[in-house]
Every structure is written in C-alpha cells, then in structure tokens.
Amino acid sequence: MASDVLVLVEHIDSELTDTSYELVGKAKDLAGGWNGEAVALALGSVDTSELAADRVLKMAHPSLDNYTPEAWLEALHAVVQERDPKLVLIANSTVGMDLGAGLSGRWGKPIAAYASAITGEDQDVVVTSQVFGGKLLAEAVIDGGQGVCTVIAGSFPGEAGKGGGATVEDLTPPAALGESRTSFVTTIEPEGGDVDITESPLLVSIGRGIESEDNIELAQEFADAIGAAVSASRPITDAGWLPKTRQVGKSGMKVKPKAYLTFGISGAPEHLEGMRDSDLIVACNIDENAPIFDIAHFGTTTDLFDLLPALTEKVK
Amino acid sequence: MADMIVLLRQVPDLVEELELNDDSTDVEREFMKFVLSEWDDYALEEALLVKEASQGSVTVVALDDPDVDQVLYTALAKGADKAVKLTGSEEGWIDSHQRARTIASWMRNQTYDLVLTGVQSVEDIDGQVGMLLAQELQHPHVSVVVSVETKNGSARVTQEFGGGRFSELDVQLPAVLGIQQSRQAPRYAPISRVRQAQQAGGLEEVPTEVSGGSGLTVRRLYAPESTDHAEMLEGSADEVADKIIELLRSRGLIK
Ligand SMILES: Cc1cc2nc3c(=O)[nH]c(=O)nc-3n(C[C@H](O)[C@H](O)[C@H](O)COP(=O)(O)OP(=O)(O)OC[C@H]3O[C@@H](n4cnc5c(N)ncnc54)[C@H](O)[C@@H]3O)c2cc1C
Ligand SMILES: Nc1ncnc2c1ncn2[C@@H]1O[C@H](COP(=O)(O)O)[C@@H](O)[C@H]1O
C-alpha cells in the first residue's frame, strides 16, 4: 500500500467544483502526515491548473467526457488498482453516491460515507460521519488503514487546495472503457423563470413542519411583509408545493443571504450544504434537538403556526 | 416489459428521540419506532409506475428488519405482485456490506430486469446497499435517479445533480438504480386493503446467511456537541417574534 491520498475531482462545464478544492486541501494535510502525495484524478476534459495537489493524473476518453457511473467507476478502479492509494476521497455528491460504495465493493476496501472530518492517527484513518439526518455523529476507524471516504461538501476549507503547481501525468484509459453498458444521452440544464432565491438577501425557508400546501401562505405573508423570498427544503419541492427552483441544499440551490429564517426544517446534512454560509441564521423548530440549531445563530422552539402569524402581525 | 425487484428497509423514526446503547456504538434499537426509509417509498412508486406503463412485475424484498411485515403487506396492497422476506438476520443490526451480500445471495437465483432501491438511508455509514449490490452482481448502476422508463432491454433514467441539473442515461438491463424521487407522489394504500393483504398472507420467507462486513469499526456515536449552538430565544410567540424582528432591524435588514 502506498501512502498517497487520491482525490477524484469533479467538474461542471470543464470547471472544477468547490468541493474538489476542499478535498485536495484535505488530501495534502493527510498525505503530509503519512509521507505520501496528494494525488488528484481528473477524468474527462477539465482545467486543473489551479489545483494545489502534488500530482494531477489526467485521463481522457470519449466515454469519460460526459459523466456516466459505469465508465467513471471503471477508470477510477483501474487507477486505484495501479497506484494502491491509502485513502480515496470523493465528494458525497451524486458522483460520490455512485462511486463511493461502488469502488468499495469493487476494490474490496471499506468505505466511510457522509464524512465531515477525517484525521490520521498514526497509520489509522479516523472518520467522523453525519448520520441519522445529522442528529448524531459517528466516529469510525477504517480497518487496515486503507479505504474510501465520501465527504460532505463544505467540510474543509477550499483555499488549501488552490494555488496550482502540481506535476501533471497523462494516463492511458483502461480497455474496458469501450465496453460500457451505460450511455450518456443528454444534459438537462436548470430552468429559469421563477424567483431567483440565490439573489434574495432575505429568505424565509420552510420545511416539512409546514404540514400542507395551504399553510405555505403563512410563510408567504411574512416574507411579503419583510421583502423576502420563500425558499424550502426538499420535501416541499418534491411534493410540488413550491417550484424546484426554490429548493435549498445539496440537490437544490446554494444560497448565502444576509438572513436565512427557517420554519419547520430539521437541518439534515443535505439541507445544510446549501445554506450554512448565510450571514445570519434564525431557526424555528419545536424539537430542541433538531440539528438545525447547531448551525443557526439564533433559535426558538416556538410552534411555527404561532410564530409566523405573530411575525407578520408585528411587521405590518 | 420489466420484472422489477424493489428493496425495502426499515429505519429509526427520526421524529423520536434517539437513545444510545451502553457503549455508545449504536442507537438503542430495543424500544425504537421504525418506519420505511422515505426513499424506498419513492422506489416502490417508481416501480409501480413503470409496471403500469410497460407491464411486467414488481417483487418487494426486505431483510428481517423490525416491523417489516407490515411494510411488505402495504407494498402488496399498493400493487406489488410478490413480497419476500429474507430471514436469518434477526441477530440485530447489520451493516450495508452485509445487507448487500445477503440480498445478492438470494438474487443470484432470481430472474429480473431491474432492481430499484432507495438512494440512501439515514444509517448507511458504510455506503449504500444498492451500489454495493450492483458490484456483487456485476450490474451497471445509477444513483440519485428521479425517473425511469424501460424499453427493449434497456432503461432510460434521469439522474439528478445539484442546482436543477440532470442528465439522461441509457442503461442496459439488468441494472440497479438508486431512487431519489418518483415522478408522482407515492400512492396511498387504504388500511382495508393492507388488512386484506395481511389476511391473504403470502409473504414468502427465505432463509439466508449473513456474511461479510463493512471493515469499519464504529468507536462511538454522539450528538454534535456544538460549541456554537444557537442562542435560544425564550418567551411567548409574541415575545420571540419581537426578538426576531429586532435582530433583523438592528442589522438594517428590514425597516
Ligand atoms: C441525494 C439527496 C439529496 C438531497 N438534497 C436535499 C436538498 O437539496 N435540500 C434539502 O432540504 N434536502 C435534501 N435532501 C433530503 C434531506 O435528507 C432531508 O430529508 C430533508 O432536508 C428534510 O427536510 P425537512 O427538514 O423539511 O423535513 P424533516 O426532516 O421531516 O423536518 C421537519 C422538522 O419540522 C419540525 N416541525 C414539525 N412541526 C413543527 C411546527 N409546528 N413548528 C416548528 N417546527 C416543526 C420537526 O421538529 C422537524 O425537525 C436530500 C436527500 C438526498 C438523499
Ligand atoms: N435490510 C434491507 N432490506 C432490503 N433492502 C435494503 C435493506 N437495507 C438497504 N436496502 C435497500 O438499499 C437502499 C439504500 O439503503 P442504505 O444502504 O441503507 O443506504 C434502501 O433504501 C433499500 O432500498
């Protein structure tokens, strides 16, 4: 086993995602402790000049240009077999959810998913994962000190992964890439048209605690009174109560308003990914143990059905 | 036509308080309330929609998790054709790698085109069963899927990325899909129909052996001991409202 930490970087329109930098920064930190290298693997066409990894491995092939889980796993697995890294880091994104467990199964090494912290204790890899919707943290050790880790976006500073200066190596794609059973058809880009919640300085954000579509009016009235837009957690947009464009989180929008006011949102890791950097976070949730209170600046366990009308009344 | 297998899993209900066991390496499962993992409900719905669109069959399968019979009968009441309970895992909680191995050992003797699982669950610290299962069985897999259509030995699936971006992929069958959402809200099974299904019985029980393991040792579980927990605003709804308004005013965010 080598002592390297391998990061699978991700890109959108040939640009690296923020999380890619975060993971490379963490990889440098960890690899430093093990006297290994921080190695970034870039599949398909992407500009890696800003990556501060020790080494960047590039692999190009027609079937890697557009992401498909099968081809990317084939490529990733081939590189892992060849270089035998100590640790493989992948973002806990759609790609990570495909390839993290996929690689663990294929490579026969453990995976720790939903990681928000990773430390090296001598040769051991100790991972802290967010489980049970963020209500608990699990501290786990990867047996044998070699495996895969999928990491929640925003867990590490991105700056440490920036600055360039990596040695670049071009890799030969594995032959099996030509035999993929999965083919890319097309990309669907975000729809515009609705309120752009990423532009609004004030957001009134509602979650499953709102209970029904009719009750959304309560939030809308308060939002109107203070000139805010209404955003939501995923269950609200899944139910079709608000358009998808209003969803905040991992699979929704990333927002950074001056104030983010939540009503009936538990604070699952997937939601926090989208709003944790807001200037001011105020949370209303009747469950005093809701994880949202670990990230909010101010909180209240008042029932939202009492609080929202009171708020609207005060502003009017 | 597609013969589908849908995997169902019971998870702790997060509405309830989570207690830890004596050595804090797991949640205390003894008196816990369990519910169907929410994404499995979407997986079942999507499978039923595919069946309605292009015929075929839906078999629901679960390991012997707490209160799982009820879940399987509910699936039958919703329109699943067959329900299978894989026994042998009663010894307590098992990890994703063990689940995947156990389910794979049964699947090797089945014929099917498509396997639908929930995209994740709230306690799969060693990864998602669907993707591990796909490796065991050497099938292609796609995760975070929000719509499925089958035609002539392949499935066209929509995979979701963040921020309203999706891509469409064609996957040759058999394949494993991790379902994030169904095209329609999951249907509701009237309690009378669930009871009927229960009375009719017909839950197939298959003994299996649990093997493998995650290779992950959980040292401890703990509640986030946040140093910057929110400052709690106390008082009546009126008083709390005043305080929130003041927070916004003092920052010049509202007039
Ligand atoms: C791949 C993937 C991507 C995802 N992406 C996203 C995403 O982008 N955004 C997102 O939000 N989620 C996302 N999720 C879902 C996420 O895991 C959670 O399921 C979701 O965030 C929960 O939403 P919620 O907080 O509204 O609901 P719940 O977790 O059900 O919380 C509801 C809360 O309301 C409180 N409540 C109930 N009644 C009241 C009342 N009267 N007054 C005050 N409070 C009350 C409850 O105490 C509870 O805490 C994703 C999941 C997956 C698997
Ligand atoms: N014990 C189980 N029985 C049947 N299906 C399961 C079981 N565990 C996990 N699954 C399936 O795998 C999906 C992902 O679960 P998890 O691996 O816990 O993320 C679940 O939504 C189920 O569809």
Side-chain angles (χ1 to χ4, degrees), chain A residues 217-263:
Chain A
E217 214 177 297
L218 294 173
Q220 189 65 56
E221 281 170 5
F222 172 50
D224 289 345
I226 61 168
V230 176
S231 57
S233 65
R234 180 159 190 140
I236 303 299
T237 55
D238 273 0
W241 298 349
L242 282 175
K244 189 85 185 157
T245 41
R246 307 287 187 97
Q247 184 191 318
V248 173
K250 168 175 166 170
S251 52
M253 302 295 170
K254 305 259 183 302
V255 298
K256 196 179 173 304
K258 294 206 158 40
Y260 189 78
L261 314 175
T262 74
F263 297 86

Side-chain angles (χ1 to χ4, degrees), chain B residues 1-12:
Chain B
M1 254 253 316
D3 291 319
M4 288 167 282
I5 291 176
V6 179
L7 303 183
L8 302 177
R9 160 171 203 175
Q10 291 285 86
V11 293

Side-chain angles (χ1 to χ4, degrees), chain A residues 208 233-234 247-249 251 266 270-271 285 303-304, chain B residues 180:
Chain A
R208 191 136 51 190
S233 65
R234 180 159 190 140
Q247 184 191 318
V248 173
S251 52
S266 63
E270 292 87 357
H271 188 79
N285 192 312
D303 193 307
L304 74 85
Chain B
Q180 163 81 36

Side-chain angles (χ1 to χ4, degrees), chain B residues 21-248:
Chain B
N21 68 0
D22 288 343
D23 59 358
S24 296
T25 53
D26 192 11
V27 288
E28 182 53 67
R29 291 166 192 271
E30 180 86 34
F31 304 107
M32 190 177 267
K33 184 164 169 251
F34 288 85
V35 291
L36 176 65
S37 178
E38 65 177 292
W39 296 285
D40 295 11
D41 214 13
Y42 291 125
L44 175 58
E45 180 60 32
E46 195 61 22
L48 293 171
L49 291 173
V50 170
K51 180 182 145 184
E52 279 159 13
S54 52
Q55 270 97 48
S57 67
V58 174
T59 300
V60 287
V61 183
L63 293 185
D64 201 354
D65 286 325
D67 304 325
V68 84
D69 290 13
Q70 175 74 13
V71 164
L72 291 169
Y73 283 121
T74 305
L76 287 172
K78 285 183 177 186
D81 301 278
K82 193 173 140 190
V84 179
K85 181 163 86 171
L86 304 179
T87 60
S89 56
E90 298 91 343
E91 293 303 304
W93 187 81
I94 60 170
D95 62 48
S96 298
H97 284 69
Q98 290 171 316
R99 287 167 196 271
R101 273 252 175 110
T102 308
I103 296 168
S105 71
W106 170 77
M107 285 195 40
R108 288 199 175 89
N109 305 316
Q110 308 297 313
T111 53
Y112 55 88
D113 302 302
L114 206 48
V115 183
L116 292 89
T117 77
V119 62
Q120 68 176 46
S121 74
V122 293
E123 55 174 345
D124 53 3
I125 174 178
D126 66 320
Q128 299 79 24
V129 164
M131 306 306 116
L132 292 165
L133 184 65
Q135 298 314 309
E136 288 284 328
L137 300 167
Q138 298 185 9
H139 296 325
H141 73 254
V142 185
S143 184
V144 203
V145 166
V146 295
S147 114
V148 183
E149 224 180 300
T150 54
K151 47 161 201 206
N152 311 332
S154 77
R156 173 148 311 176
V157 303
T158 308
Q159 183 173 44
E160 183 181 286
F161 295 84
R165 289 171 53 253
F166 299 86
S167 68
E168 279 182 11
L169 305 176
D170 277 340
V171 202
Q172 279 173 38
L173 306 183
V176 180
L177 306 176
I179 303 292
Q180 163 81 36
Q181 201 191 336
S182 49
R183 282 166 286 163
Q184 285 175 19
R187 67 197 64 193
Y188 174 76
I191 196 76
S192 59
R193 280 243 290 283
V194 179
R195 248 191 235 122
Q196 261 173 24
Q198 245 157 355
Q199 268 150 19
L203 235 184
E204 189 183 323
E205 293 197 19
V206 181
T208 49
E209 253 171 63
V210 175
S211 68
S214 67
L216 210 58
T217 305
V218 175
R219 274 191 192 163
R220 61 171 182 141
L221 286 182
Y222 59 100
E225 50 216 23
S226 168
T227 42
D228 27 47
H229 189 274
E231 179 181 332
M232 298 308 278
L233 308 171
E234 308 294 344
S236 65
D238 243 25
E239 288 162 351
V240 172
D242 276 331
K243 289 177 185 168
I244 293 176
I245 303 282
E246 183 46 36
L247 283 173
L248 298 175

Side-chain angles (χ1 to χ4, degrees), chain A residues 194-234:
Chain A
D194 187 45
V195 182
D196 184 355
I197 57 169
T198 63
E199 293 293 327
S200 179
L202 291 179
L203 289 173
V204 170
S205 206
I206 51 172
R208 191 136 51 190
I210 199 84
E211 284 178 11
S212 79
E213 185 168 13
D214 292 343
N215 294 334
I216 291 179
E217 214 177 297
L218 294 173
Q220 189 65 56
E221 281 170 5
F222 172 50
D224 289 345
I226 61 168
V230 176
S231 57
S233 65
R234 180 159 190 140

